[in-house]
Amino acid sequence: MSPHFVSRLLASTAAIAVALVVSGCATIPGAVPVPTSTATATPTDPAPTTTPTPSAVPLTFGDFTGDQLAQICIDQTRSTFGPDVTFDTESTRIERRTVTPEWLVIVPARTGGMEGRSLCTIGGTPDSPVVEMASGSIDELPEEQIQRLIRGENEGTNP
């Protein structure tokens, strides 16, 4: 390489680095952003107060808790998966159906390195649950099919 080429390369690299720092595209570790405006606004209205809102997900489903419905579904479908199956009860989806049994329960599962789900319709009481449909599958379950199950349509078949 010629010395002229090396000096151009170094100058270009330095120019790019300066441009990045000046434009704010690069950050320096430990640097704290500093506002560029010094104007401050004085609020004329008091700060709004926040009222805690209840959780969007109910903790109970009729006489059942979410954990009870998930466990009933897991118990009914565990044998449809391999022995290495794990269930993600924290991500369980529970929907109120417009028909009986009242609850559609979908519990995500993982088996054999594949994502799956347990799917159940459950009614009755915690002491005497009624499970009408229980299946475990690694097939996708489209939202349209979930909505059909909520309405009690086309149970047991995919679209």
Side-chain angles (χ1 to χ4, degrees), residues 67-144:
D67 289 342
Q68 287 172 323
L69 288 170
Q71 191 60 54
I72 291 166
C73 190
I74 290 168
D75 292 344
Q76 292 292 313
T77 60
R78 182 179 299 277
S79 64
T80 63
F81 295 104
D84 67 332
V85 67
T86 57
F87 296 93
D88 180 6
T89 56
E90 294 295 316
S91 298
T92 298
R93 178 175 174 181
I94 302 171
E95 298 283 347
R96 181 184 294 271
R97 301 178 70 214
T98 59
V99 295
T100 57
E102 186 175 12
W103 304 107
L104 172 65
V105 181
I106 305 169
V107 183
R110 185 161 182 81
T111 185
M114 302 182 78
E115 299 296 321
R117 70 209 38 78
S118 290
L119 178 71
C120 301
T121 55
I122 302 172
T125 65
D127 291 331
S128 184
V130 175
V131 179
E132 185 174 286
M133 178 187 70
S135 68
S137 176
I138 57 171
D139 292 333
E140 280 299 313
L141 184 63
E143 184 61 30
E144 182 180 317

